[in-house]
Amino acid sequence: MSARAAVLPIHSAAVRYAVLAAAGTLLAVFLTIAPVKAAIAAELAGTWSGSGTVTLANGAREKARCRASYIAAGGRTYAMSATCATASAKVSQTAILSQNTKNRFGGTFYNPEFGVTGRIRIIVSGKRQTVYLSGSAGHATFSMQPR
């Protein structure tokens, strides 16, 4: 058999069936995966609140409470706005986060009131998240739950 005889014309019924079967399989895979990706993204979106400890650059430690809202900003990116309060101060900050793995997020936060920037890491585990912040003014750790 020659190589030319082995090639089926594109309009052949067998080729059309194979292409349709492949397209149907891809669609089925996409429809199966899409809800899983949406569920993963939903782990962070929404409003969370909780408490933790802030350690200032001078070593002073304070208990704090926070409330943070996360909004999907497209793809694997989220925008965060949060307000935290200690016995001595109340501050607001924003952050842009990227989803690094199924349950881990990271990015940069900014506090416009004090001009402080730093790194933020979040680990989501079920209905809880652990938030780590670090910057030149100190560091903090919070345990948060959805509101």
Side-chain angles (χ1 to χ4, degrees), residues 3 17 20-21 27 29 44 51 60 66 82-83 100 102 106 114 133:
Y17 177 75
L20 286 174
L27 180 60
V29 168
L44 187 62
S51 60
C66 286
T83 301
N100 300 323
K102 176 184 175 187
F114 295 102
L133 298 135

Side-chain angles (χ1 to χ4, degrees), residues 83-116:
T83 301
C84 299
T86 67
S88 63
K90 181 177 179 180
V91 296
S92 296
Q93 51 270 331
T94 59
I96 299 296
L97 299 155
S98 296
Q99 186 175 6
N100 300 323
T101 65
K102 176 184 175 187
N103 68 330
R104 293 176 184 262
F105 302 81
T108 304
F109 74 88
Y110 176 63
N111 175 304
E113 185 178 0
F114 295 102
V116 175

Side-chain angles (χ1 to χ4, degrees), residues 6-92:
V7 176
L8 294 172
I10 192 72
H11 60 279
S12 131
V15 171
R16 282 192 302 242
Y17 177 75
V19 169
L20 286 174
T25 301
L26 287 174
L27 180 60
V29 168
F30 174 76
L31 292 175
T32 302
I33 292 173
V36 172
K37 284 190 173 185
I40 291 169
E43 289 181 356
L44 187 62
T47 301
W48 297 68
S49 64
S51 60
T53 304
V54 175
T55 304
L56 302 175
N58 66 8
R61 294 178 61 150
E62 290 191 67
K63 297 288 184 190
R65 297 216 27 91
C66 286
R67 181 177 180 170
S69 295
Y70 302 91
I71 299 171
R76 296 165 58 106
T77 303
Y78 295 83
M80 180 205 80
S81 63
T83 301
C84 299
T86 67
S88 63
K90 181 177 179 180
V91 296
S92 296

